[in-house]
Amino acid sequence: MANNKIKIGFLTISDRAARGVYEDISGPAMQDWIANAVTCPYDTVTKVIEDEQPLIEESLIDMSDNLGCNLILTTGGTGPTTRDVTPEATEAVCERIFDGFAEQMRIVSLRTVPTAILSRQIAGTRGKTLMINLPGKPVAIAVCLGAVFLAVPKCIELLDESIITIDKSFVSQVFE
């Protein structure tokens, strides 16, 4: 059954931001991008947590199963260090992985950043929730969202018939 209002979860995964060592700038970057891209009303859930796989899994499950997010965007924890476990946590809680999201994000990112090949973000679904891992840098967040977001409304519609409307001219600007 279709939802009248979309709910989007924003999950920042950063040891230092969670501990208050520095201000989270990645979470607000995701939120700002979405505010420009999404044209329908939506609710938000935001959280900043440490890079701990059980905590990431617990947060993703809570946002999906209990809080009813249609879309969860994560930032951080997708690099090559041993503390970067966001992809592993996401894969552990998802029922299906959608490789095309990660492939497209890396392809577009590689146009300007040679180290984008090191990014391990993934995307998948849990129940009726689409989860997308994003890098931790605000510029990279915008590039990656621009690379895949045209597919997000259709995916959400197919999951539970919910309708999300977007500003296609803003979303597709990365391809110009």
Side-chain angles (χ1 to χ4, degrees), residues 69-122:
C69 291
N70 303 83
L71 172 65
I72 300 171
L73 301 175
T74 71
T75 180
T78 61
T81 75
T82 57
R83 295 289 298 153
D84 293 326
V85 294
T86 301
E88 288 80 6
T90 304
E91 186 171 22
V93 303
C94 282
E95 294 147 355
R96 294 178 291 165
I97 298 299
F98 289 80
D99 295 322
F101 282 88
E103 292 166 3
Q104 183 63 19
M105 287 188 281
R106 279 188 285 278
I107 287 168
V108 170
S109 296
L110 279 166
R111 292 179 186 165
T112 57
V113 181
T115 56
I117 197 71
L118 299 174
S119 187
R120 301 179 316 110
Q121 69 261 20
I122 64 169

Side-chain angles (χ1 to χ4, degrees), residues 7-11 45-47 49 54-72 89 93 126 129 131:
K7 187 179 284 188
I8 302 173
F10 298 97
L11 182 61
V45 174
T46 60
K47 195 170 187 180
I49 61 171
L55 183 57
I56 299 166
E57 290 177 18
E58 176 185 303
S59 298
L60 291 170
I61 291 169
D62 184 50
M63 290 173 127
S64 174
D65 298 4
N66 301 324
L67 300 176
C69 291
N70 303 83
L71 172 65
I72 300 171
V93 303
R126 176 181 178 85
T129 304
M131 300 178 186

